[in-house]
Amino acid sequence: MTKVIGIDIGGTKINTCLVNEEGIILDMYTTDTQASEGREVVLNNIKKSIFAIDYKQASAIGIGTPGFIDSENGIVTFAGNITGWTGLNLKSAIEEFVDIPVFVENDANIALIAEKWIGSCQSYDNVVMITLGTGLGGAIYTKEGGLLSGAHFQGAELGHIMLHPGGNYCTCGQYGCAESYCAGPAISEDYFRLTGKRLDGKEIFSRIETDDKAMEVLKNYQSNLAYLLTSLRNIFDPDAIVIGGGIIHSKDIWWDGMIENFKNYCNKPYNIEILPAKFLNDAGVIGAAKIAFERMTNE
């Protein structure tokens, strides 16, 4: 059975796995990204990860990385969270020390690929995915066109839909983006705005029964997510919207209220499924493996 390597480059960790044609992870190695240390350090960490799982068993390597990705050529056209990553031909950089083909894709796109392959949206033809973590990633898949990349490899940047025009500053330089209200740090920022105290999201959600301000943060978060889902439903008319990323771990706290708000806000809340992602930490490596299987066949 053919095997490939899937690599998921995150802001804090690099996950590297050997994966078979059924999407089963056979071997895994995780190391720190050291994103602030610069391009060469991160590349060395990737190299160390590949050799740690005996890449000689693999026929190709798929990589998911943050940023705007020219997936045809393997170039990172822009990335803000890894120092020196912008402009890197990641495909060529990795192929310098391996003798198998390397394929590169945006990290949110590979999360959707994993879900479409063996995850929560296998049976849907038109899917939108958002990933809620340190940022807010997006991916769009249609039966006719596959993944949306856009004219400049910036398609499906759903975190930068204007949710509250003129509102909170976003790291992209705009004000009022969905990312600044729906990504993980937004929970802490909202609590700080209300109380002047800095707590992480987990602490805030643990206080909702005893802290009125924590409950207010939760309601704001549920409302902002529901407004975003309403826009996504009305713009793209998907069969399903899949929600993934690290914050999905706390969905028992915010999911039901989000869905209730969506049904109240949206003029057409029917004929659509809103689904939690099946794969969390493993979505990136599974999706990266899938693009390796597909693209080595086409190359």
Side-chain angles (χ1 to χ4, degrees):
M1 180 177 286
T2 305
K3 303 169 187 175
V4 299
I5 290 174
I7 302 175
D8 179 23
I9 303 171
T12 58
K13 298 290 183 183
I14 297 170
N15 292 324
T16 303
C17 293
L18 188 68
V19 181
N20 70 17
E21 292 170 292
E22 296 176 349
I24 296 170
I25 294 172
L26 306 173
D27 194 10
M28 176 182 286
Y29 182 83
T30 299
T31 191
D32 292 335
T33 307
Q34 295 182 281
S36 63
E37 298 299 316
R39 174 186 297 188
E40 295 306 318
V41 171
V42 178
L43 286 172
N44 189 61
N45 289 336
I46 296 171
K47 181 178 180 179
K48 177 176 67 174
S49 300
I50 292 170
F51 290 158
I53 60 171
D54 187 11
Y55 86 94
K56 291 295 184 181
Q57 298 183 54
S59 300
I61 297 173
I63 302 176
T65 183
F68 303 152
I69 309 302
D70 173 355
S71 57
E72 293 178 6
N73 297 298
I75 298 170
V76 182
T77 63
F78 174 79
N81 64 348
I82 299 178
T83 302
W85 217 235
T86 297
L88 171 66
N89 189 320
L90 183 56
K91 174 182 172 67
S92 295
I94 303 303
E95 287 181 345
E96 286 184 5
F97 59 82
V98 298
D99 55 3
I100 53 177
V102 175
F103 306 96
V104 182
E105 185 56 81
N106 167 267
D107 55 352
N109 283 348
I110 63 168
L112 177 51
I113 289 169
E115 296 297 330
K116 188 74 181 70
W117 182 22
I118 54 173
S120 63
C121 57
Q122 297 174 64
S123 60
Y124 297 95
D125 291 333
N126 298 283
V127 183
V128 173
M129 184 171 187
I130 56 173
T131 55
L132 305 174
T134 305
L136 196 166
I140 299 166
Y141 177 91
T142 66
K143 182 179 180 180
E144 297 79 13
L147 287 171
L148 174 69
S149 59
H152 306 97
F153 314 107
Q154 298 173 25
E157 285 294 315
L158 303 179
H160 304 295
I161 287 175
M162 284 294 178
L163 194 61
H164 295 288
N168 294 345
Y169 177 74
C170 180
T171 55
C172 76
Q174 297 179 157
Y175 290 84
C177 288
E179 180 168 292
S180 60
Y181 291 89
C182 300
I187 298 166
S188 298
E189 288 300 319
D190 198 24
Y191 190 79
F192 179 73
R193 177 183 63 83
L194 292 171
T195 67
K197 297 177 182 177
R198 289 281 182 193
L199 298 177
D200 63 29
K202 187 175 181 180
E203 278 187 286
I204 294 164
F205 283 161
S206 73
R207 295 178 172 217
I208 57 175
E209 300 297 334
T210 58
D211 183 338
D212 290 343
K213 297 303 182 184
M215 177 59 77
E216 185 175 348
V217 168
L218 173 61
K219 289 182 177 179
N220 289 343
Y221 189 68
Q222 291 168 320
S223 180
N224 284 319
L225 282 173
Y227 279 126
L228 176 60
L229 293 177
T230 298
S231 292
L232 297 177
R233 188 261 178 273
N234 290 337
I235 294 168
F236 299 108
D237 186 27
D239 301 311
I241 298 174
V242 179
I243 303 177
I247 296 176
I248 202 71
H249 288 290
S250 62
K251 75 179 181 66
D252 289 349
I253 297 170
W254 50 264
W255 187 273
D256 290 347
M258 174 193 73
I259 296 295
E260 182 179 350
N261 285 337
F262 170 72
K263 291 178 178 178
N264 290 332
Y265 298 162
C266 187
N267 62 347
K268 296 177 182 177
Y270 43 83
N271 295 334
I272 184 172
E273 295 289 339
I274 299 174
L275 307 166
K278 177 179 178 179
F279 299 107
L280 300 175
N281 293 336
D282 293 340
V285 292
I286 292 171
K290 181 60 172 174
I291 67 164
F293 282 121
E294 290 180 348
R295 295 177 188 177
M296 73 176 181
T297 301
N298 296 332
E299 192 174 65

